[in-house]
Amino acid sequence: MNDSTFEDWRRRALTLEAAVGAVMLGMPRAVRLAVVALFARGHVLLEGDVGVGKTTLLRALARGIGGAYQRIEGTIDLMPSDLVYYTQVADDGRPRVLPGPLLAQGEDLSVFFFNEINRARPQVHALLLRLMAEQSIGAFNREFHFPHLSVFADRNRIEREETFELPAAARDRFLMEILIDAPDERAQLEALMFDPRFHDTGALVEPVAHGLVDATRLNELSAQIQTRVQASAALRRYGVDLWLATRTPQHCGITLPEIDTAELVLAGASPRGMAMLVRAARVHAWLEGRPAIVPEDLRAVFVETVAHRIALQPVYENQRAEIARELAQQILRRVAAP
């Protein structure tokens, strides 16, 4: 890939971001992070209340990359096989086996949304994690491959009964956890409430041009970004300082109200997690037109890439939503950037 092609891809990526941003009113940061994850080839946890636009975001992204979109709803009785196939009685009275949401689009599947993943049992999580790691699943005595797939999942964070939260090892498989919140400005709230354009998701995403970015070339481009965008010695030292702070935040002078930070962290970010931080930072630098990562690139993706990977002591796990992101923010404030 020559320099002009590489730059052309960046312009396409920014066009995709702008198109999706026009759909997602008042959510520029969430859109930027979703685009970063897409070009870093990572999977994403979406955090947010019901009805804030997660499905709209993913349908717009899928349309923009010209790929197929599928979703499934997490339920207590969902089985791994439900992702692969389902049965129905045909007109002739015989049972038929039809492809489930994972197989319905074949290799064209580019965006898969698992809604309320914590309502599904660990056996279902296991199948999804294998899909994420290997981009393949076994079914009908053969392997099905999904070379262009990005998995997005959200969880029901209001109801706790009959839910199965992802353990730390499973959360670590996701590149980011992105917060999707409704906007705060009154004019935007009024538009979401009264403008019919925002009441029909299908019509809302229609203006996003189909195939602004070629989904089948995202893996190739991502590899080019990771090779071309450099990191200086000073930036590398800063990255390691951030990593060490996730392990022993008390050594950085970090304090949280009514919490002993020396007893807070069970395990800091994993090597995989910090490698994913750098992958995301390289994409962010590329989108900004920089040939090398600067501290602002690490800081732009740090909270969403690292907070969900920090394992807290069991006594604090029920407060993860309030603690983990604030801890990551405090690390950014306390660790000096070059």
Side-chain angles (χ1 to χ4, degrees), residues 87-162:
T87 60
Q88 69 176 31
V89 178
D91 293 339
D92 60 5
R94 295 183 177 183
R96 296 178 60 196
V97 178
L98 299 175
L102 283 180
L103 302 185
Q105 304 291 340
E107 290 190 358
D108 291 335
L109 183 59
S110 296
V111 175
F112 182 69
F113 180 28
F114 201 123
N115 190 37
E116 296 195 354
I117 189 173
N118 60 333
R119 284 213 175 277
R121 294 178 179 273
Q123 300 96 312
V124 180
H125 299 169
L127 176 64
L128 187 71
L129 292 172
R130 182 200 162 174
L131 173 67
M132 290 163 52
E134 302 178 10
Q135 293 186 302
S136 68
I137 58 170
F140 308 115
N141 297 317
R142 58 167 289 196
E143 286 287 312
F144 293 84
H145 297 276
F146 307 91
H148 320 302
L149 181 62
S150 294
V151 173
F152 294 79
D154 82 336
R155 65 188 186 91
N156 186 319
R157 65 177 185 176
I158 298 175
E159 298 163 320
R160 296 301 182 104
E161 294 182 0
E162 295 186 337

Side-chain angles (χ1 to χ4, degrees), residues 168-220:
R171 291 196 306 267
D172 194 63
R173 303 287 186 89
F174 289 88
L175 170 69
M176 288 185 184
E177 183 176 60
I178 300 175
L179 184 63
I180 310 291
D181 269 339
D184 295 323
E185 295 184 14
R186 288 188 63 90
Q188 294 173 339
L189 293 174
E190 181 180 320
L192 291 173
M193 186 174 181
F194 291 99
D195 188 340
R197 184 169 75 95
F198 295 103
H199 301 171
D200 183 342
T201 300
L204 182 60
V205 302
E206 190 70 26
V208 178
H210 185 77
L212 289 169
V213 173
D214 184 355
T216 65
R217 298 193 64 191
L218 284 175
N219 292 336
E220 173 195 356

Side-chain angles (χ1 to χ4, degrees), residues 46 52-60 69 71 113 115 201 205:
L46 298 175
V52 293
K54 297 185 287 291
T55 299
T56 303
L57 170 64
L58 300 186
R59 288 184 61 179
Y69 166 83
R71 67 177 283 162
F113 180 28
N115 190 37
T201 300
V205 302

Side-chain angles (χ1 to χ4, degrees), residues 194-268:
F194 291 99
D195 188 340
R197 184 169 75 95
F198 295 103
H199 301 171
D200 183 342
T201 300
L204 182 60
V205 302
E206 190 70 26
V208 178
H210 185 77
L212 289 169
V213 173
D214 184 355
T216 65
R217 298 193 64 191
L218 284 175
N219 292 336
E220 173 195 356
L221 176 65
S222 180
Q224 289 283 325
I225 295 170
Q226 298 306 314
T227 300
R228 293 185 180 218
V229 179
Q230 302 300 306
S232 67
L235 190 283
R236 291 167 184 255
R237 288 193 293 271
Y238 178 53
V240 174
D241 288 342
L242 291 172
W243 189 359
L244 293 174
T246 70
R247 297 179 175 183
T248 54
Q250 69 275 16
H251 293 169
C252 302
I254 292 173
T255 59
L256 296 173
E258 301 181 4
I259 293 176
D260 180 1
T261 52
E263 301 294 330
L264 174 61
V265 174
L266 181 63

Side-chain angles (χ1 to χ4, degrees), residues 302-320:
F302 182 80
V303 174
E304 286 78 10
T305 308
V306 172
H308 67 286
R309 303 178 188 276
I310 301 175
L312 305 180
Q313 293 287 354
V315 69
Y316 294 113
E317 269 297 329
N318 285 338
Q319 300 171 264
R320 163 168 290 279

